[in-house]
Amino acid sequence: MRHTEVRGDMAPLTTWFMTTGEAGFRSQARGLAERLTDDPRELVVGLRFPWNRLPVAMTPNPFALLDPARERPAPPWPDLLISCGRRTAALSMAIRRASEGQTLTVHVQDPLARPDGFDLIIAMKHDAVEGPNVMKVATALHAVTPETLAEAANLWRERLRFGSEPLAGVLIGGPTSGKTFPTASFIEALRRLREGGTRLAIAPSRRTPAPLIAAIEAAFADDAGVFIWDRQSDNPYLGVLALADRLVVTSDSVSMISEALATGHPVDVFGAPQNDRHAGFLQTLIEDGAIVPFTGRPALPRDNRPIDATNYAAQAVRNLLEARTGMVL
């Protein structure tokens, strides 16, 4: 649910969310910003090479190092700045200094910089950053809300929820660099699920390898109970999240797993962790009983209350704004 913050003098809260443009960063920053205000401004920024590769401590004046092909932040500075990703950290800290502390700076993810350079850091539980202004969350922030799910359900119900069989939504990312996706075992598990009487709505992402999609299409050719997005027509992603009785997500995408958990549907995750950070993320969720490995077997009973760190983070930001400025909803 979105809220519009208003200051005591009735001036609207000005909010920027700032990233270097990657989809995963944008969705997290936008998701938090939209829980706080109805009209946040997006900025896609970057530093010139080689400063965009250097540690934050080596970019003391990022305003002089901005990539001219990207946006250039300038005053008047906002009341609230939300940044996401290591490569925006130096610029967020510089805006905080330039505003003489009037801009409340919130950084999403570990900035790999001094925590006291921000008002609030929202990091994952497995991140190393620590401090009195560091908040740890179990899932990534995102823009999926009950309202967006309800809208998507209405839009996709006739296309996805036909028939009486249960529906499993299958959300596929793609292997990270140097990793090989276990296509054969994935298709075997999907076949097992389908043979058990569950229909499949399969939504590959833009980065899903074409050979993997081709293998899935061949495995379920002419099966009317299997929907596979062609990546050309309207994206069914939100509809799948909204309407599936069960969700299967590949292990590579922290964002997709987090969004799936926000629906309250049972979530199974397929595949090994892609790196140590993914391993920490998945292990925390397994230990909490939020996810189970996907095998294609019948789902076991579990507590499926929605898990949404974005609301939790948004409330923490509201508390800081109210303490600093007296802003009210």
Side-chain angles (χ1 to χ4, degrees), residues 56-143:
V56 172
M58 298 182 68
T59 52
N61 184 18
F63 289 123
L65 307 173
L66 289 170
D67 182 343
R70 299 197 173 196
E71 294 182 81
R72 183 181 184 87
W77 304 116
D79 299 305
L80 172 64
L81 171 65
I82 298 167
S83 53
C84 183
R86 175 188 62 81
R87 290 180 293 163
T88 62
L91 189 53
S92 175
M93 295 168 70
I95 291 173
R96 187 175 186 239
R97 292 191 297 268
S99 74
E100 298 181 341
Q102 295 303 302
T103 294
L104 187 82
T105 54
V106 177
H107 189 81
V108 180
Q109 297 192 345
D110 185 348
L112 301 180
R114 289 173 55 101
D116 60 6
F118 309 88
D119 292 291
L120 177 66
I121 294 172
I122 301 168
M124 304 291 287
K125 283 186 177 180
H126 54 267
D127 286 332
V129 61
E130 299 285 350
N133 63 329
V134 176
M135 166 190 226
K136 294 292 186 79
V137 294
T139 59
L141 308 189
H142 56 78

Side-chain angles (χ1 to χ4, degrees), residues 148-217:
T148 59
L149 291 174
E151 182 178 349
N154 289 333
L155 183 63
W156 284 93
R157 185 170 282 106
E158 290 186 3
R159 286 176 278 183
L160 297 179
R161 282 288 349 183
F162 57 87
S164 59
E165 294 175 305
L167 177 68
V170 183
L171 309 175
I172 308 174
T176 56
S177 178
K179 299 290 184 178
T180 300
F181 190 89
T183 300
S185 57
F186 185 51
I187 291 176
E188 180 183 354
L190 291 176
R191 277 182 170 147
R192 188 178 298 121
L193 184 60
R194 178 72 185 117
E195 289 166 359
T198 296
R199 290 184 300 107
L200 308 179
I202 301 174
S205 69
R206 299 292 184 186
R207 62 187 182 85
T208 304
L212 172 56
I213 298 174
I216 293 172
E217 290 173 339

Side-chain angles (χ1 to χ4, degrees), residues 2-316:
R2 296 182 185 178
H3 299 273
T4 300
E5 299 278 358
V6 180
R7 288 194 291 252
D9 60 5
M10 298 307 291
L13 172 72
T14 57
T15 299
W16 295 356
F17 65 97
M18 181 174 71
T19 71
T20 47
E22 293 84 348
F25 293 160
R26 292 182 67 214
S27 66
Q28 292 194 65
R30 183 182 73 251
L32 180 57
E34 289 181 346
R35 305 286 174 104
L36 295 161
T37 184
D38 290 326
D39 190 28
R41 174 190 174 191
E42 179 177 12
L43 291 92
V44 177
V45 300
L47 302 182
R48 301 194 306 272
F49 181 83
W51 290 279
N52 62 344
R53 304 294 179 87
L54 298 178
V56 172
M58 298 182 68
T59 52
N61 184 18
F63 289 123
L65 307 173
L66 289 170
D67 182 343
R70 299 197 173 196
E71 294 182 81
R72 183 181 184 87
W77 304 116
D79 299 305
L80 172 64
L81 171 65
I82 298 167
S83 53
C84 183
R86 175 188 62 81
R87 290 180 293 163
T88 62
L91 189 53
S92 175
M93 295 168 70
I95 291 173
R96 187 175 186 239
R97 292 191 297 268
S99 74
E100 298 181 341
Q102 295 303 302
T103 294
L104 187 82
T105 54
V106 177
H107 189 81
V108 180
Q109 297 192 345
D110 185 348
L112 301 180
R114 289 173 55 101
D116 60 6
F118 309 88
D119 292 291
L120 177 66
I121 294 172
I122 301 168
M124 304 291 287
K125 283 186 177 180
H126 54 267
D127 286 332
V129 61
E130 299 285 350
N133 63 329
V134 176
M135 166 190 226
K136 294 292 186 79
V137 294
T139 59
L141 308 189
H142 56 78
V144 174
T145 65
E147 292 81 8
T148 59
L149 291 174
E151 182 178 349
N154 289 333
L155 183 63
W156 284 93
R157 185 170 282 106
E158 290 186 3
R159 286 176 278 183
L160 297 179
R161 282 288 349 183
F162 57 87
S164 59
E165 294 175 305
L167 177 68
V170 183
L171 309 175
I172 308 174
T176 56
S177 178
K179 299 290 184 178
T180 300
F181 190 89
T183 300
S185 57
F186 185 51
I187 291 176
E188 180 183 354
L190 291 176
R191 277 182 170 147
R192 188 178 298 121
L193 184 60
R194 178 72 185 117
E195 289 166 359
T198 296
R199 290 184 300 107
L200 308 179
I202 301 174
S205 69
R206 299 292 184 186
R207 62 187 182 85
T208 304
L212 172 56
I213 298 174
I216 293 172
E217 290 173 339
F220 296 103
D222 302 321
D223 187 338
V226 178
F227 167 92
I228 304 173
W229 181 43
D230 60 9
R231 296 199 292 185
Q232 301 297 321
S233 55
D234 292 343
N235 191 334
Y237 179 74
L238 286 173
V240 172
L241 285 178
L243 294 169
D245 300 296
R246 177 182 182 182
L247 290 164
V248 176
V249 190
T250 55
S251 64
D252 54 277
S253 178
V254 171
S255 294
M256 289 198 304
I257 294 170
S258 299
E259 289 167 349
L261 287 168
T263 67
H265 303 313
V267 177
D268 295 5
V269 174
F270 176 83
Q274 300 289 295
N275 52 48
D276 289 344
R277 294 187 74 254
H278 276 163
F281 169 71
L282 295 174
Q283 188 59 37
T284 295
L285 294 175
I286 289 172
E287 291 174 354
D288 290 345
I291 63 172
V292 298
F294 175 61
T295 63
R297 306 291 182 188
L300 297 174
R302 60 187 107 158
D303 183 356
N304 295 313
R305 288 174 295 181
I307 299 172
D308 187 357
T310 316
N311 282 336
Y312 180 47
Q315 188 56 55

